Amino acid sequence: MESKPTEDLSSLAAAAASFPLLVYDHGEQPDNSQTVLSVTDGSTRTYQLPEMANFKCLETPQGLVLMVDTASFHCSLWNPQTGEKTPLPAMDEAPPEHCRCLVADTGSSRPEWNPDSLVLVYDLSRPELVMCRVRGDAAAAWGVFYYLESTPNTIGALFSFADDPKPDLELVTFDAKLPELDWKEGVTLRATKTYLQEHSKDLFLFCLFYKVVDSTLELEEFGAYMMDLTKKERVKVDDIGDATFLLGPRGFGASCPATEHGLKTGCVYHACDGLGDSNDYEIFDLKEGTREVAGPNQAIPVLSRKPFWLVPVHPDVNMNV
């Protein structure tokens, strides 16, 4: 790997061509700095990002970042590749400590209207949603939020309809058996970690199967499945075309074209806490069936949160609202 440890205090937009980036956030002390690693070439840079000082930042699969002022709860959507910001209504309270953020178009506005979008923040520790509407085509996810229910083998789908004065939501659930792995005679492994991710109108489920060896979890297999929404079945796949998936903490998942961003096709990059405090990430090659561990080749200072992904902003995003 090529290392570029010299501090670069300019805008993160200067690194736009290097996205996707794995961000190591060191918090406000002592200098509110972030180390970012480009998985394309392995280079690292250090930034001081004012957008991450005094804000809770929630990355989204569409590349935008929801910024919430920790004092006033005022919100905005930030495009880290251009520096543009779009103001949003303030939240009533601080975002939950463990939460995720998604941006999707409603998919139901009349053609003569300006398309609306939804910014959805949901609490991972309890069934609670915080939602606000954005005028303009902020991002596209076909108007449906999919999620895994706490009830085994159940998927929830949240449909949004942009009827003034506020969006209307409809929730449906359906059964879809989670994959299992025949590990050895008489022993079946259930997925320890799961990631649900939409890509090009298809719904994917990524599963990590761990076994227990001497009271320690060891990864046995990584599997990728495509959801057949008609049959309510999951089909295992090893070919995802010219796509790369990036998985991270709190169930985060995103995708981007591989060739366009200098990445190997058909691979899944997994950055989570399965490797302890090493700050490494895993690369699963679905076609080859291989697993590689990679990471920064320099010491990383103490982090204020788990490493997270900044992904290329979706080409349909329009910040003019």
Side-chain angles (χ1 to χ4, degrees):
M1 289 186 186
E2 178 189 0
S3 178
K4 300 177 182 178
T6 304
E7 283 204 352
D8 181 349
L9 304 182
S10 60
S11 168
L12 186 63
S18 300
F19 279 54
L21 301 173
L22 188 56
V23 182
Y24 302 91
D25 188 3
H26 313 303
E28 297 184 16
Q29 300 298 328
D31 57 3
N32 185 45
S33 64
Q34 294 79 31
T35 301
V36 300
L37 181 149
S38 170
V39 294
T40 302
D41 60 13
S43 63
T44 58
R45 292 185 181 273
T46 300
Y47 290 89
Q48 290 179 348
L49 301 175
E51 291 84 359
M52 292 189 180
N54 302 318
F55 288 93
K56 179 160 186 173
C57 295
L58 302 176
E59 67 277 15
T60 75
Q62 294 76 24
L64 301 177
V65 177
L66 177 64
M67 300 167 51
V68 184
D69 189 294
T70 55
S72 66
F73 308 142
H74 288 162
C75 300
S76 61
L77 277 180
W78 169 45
N79 183 333
Q81 293 186 272
T82 65
E84 293 177 276
K85 298 183 182 70
T86 298
L88 301 177
M91 286 187 172
D92 294 332
E93 58 186 17
E97 181 177 357
H98 302 289
C99 62
R100 282 193 61 197
C101 183
L102 293 173
V103 180
D105 69 26
T106 60
S108 60
S109 296
R110 297 176 183 174
E112 66 268 21
W113 292 358
N114 287 329
D116 287 354
S117 292
L118 296 177
V119 178
L120 179 67
V121 177
Y122 62 96
D123 194 334
L124 296 176
S125 60
R126 56 181 178 174
E128 181 174 305
L129 302 176
V130 180
M131 181 197 70
C132 61
R133 188 176 69 174
V134 185
R135 272 294 184 192
D137 189 11
W142 313 110
V144 183
F145 298 97
Y146 291 99
Y147 62 95
L148 294 175
E149 281 270 15
S150 57
T151 305
N153 303 320
T154 302
I155 288 181
L158 186 66
F159 295 84
S160 55
F161 303 92
D163 294 327
D164 287 341
K166 63 180 181 179
D168 181 35
L169 300 179
E170 179 181 337
L171 179 64
V172 299
T173 60
F174 55 89
D175 294 332
K177 186 175 176 58
L178 285 173
E180 294 181 340
L181 178 66
D182 292 329
W183 179 31
K184 57 184 180 182
E185 186 177 355
V187 180
T188 299
L189 296 181
R190 294 183 178 180
T192 308
K193 291 183 179 179
T194 55
Y195 298 84
L196 199 62
Q197 174 61 32
E198 184 270 345
H199 173 74
S200 296
K201 297 187 180 181
D202 291 319
L203 191 62
F204 288 85
L205 178 72
F206 299 100
C207 296
L208 287 89
F209 298 90
Y210 287 87
K211 60 186 179 183
V212 179
V213 179
D214 297 329
S215 301
T216 303
L217 286 177
E218 293 185 3
L219 181 65
E220 175 67 15
E221 185 172 307
F222 178 89
Y225 305 82
M226 185 180 293
M227 185 72 203
D228 186 327
L229 294 175
T230 302
K231 298 180 179 180
K232 306 296 191 296
E233 294 177 352
R234 307 178 195 277
V235 180
K236 190 170 184 179
V237 295
D238 58 13
D239 186 355
I240 54 176
D242 184 33
T244 295
F245 285 87
L246 304 114
L247 311 178
R250 305 185 309 279
F252 176 86
S255 64
C256 66
T259 304
E260 178 183 343
H261 297 282
L263 302 172
K264 187 177 180 181
T265 60
C267 287
V268 178
Y269 291 73
H270 177 239
C272 203
D273 54 4
L275 298 172
D277 297 324
S278 67
N279 294 320
D280 290 338
Y281 57 93
E282 300 166 297
I283 307 173
F284 298 100
D285 188 316
L286 295 178
K287 279 190 175 181
E288 300 296 330
T290 58
R291 170 182 178 260
E292 175 188 353
V293 177
N297 63 348
Q298 68 178 74
I300 299 294
V302 175
L303 302 179
S304 62
R305 57 178 292 192
K306 294 290 185 182
F308 63 95
W309 294 106
L310 287 182
V311 300
V313 175
H314 194 280
D316 292 336
V317 164
N318 180 358
M319 298 290 286
N320 297 320
V321 299

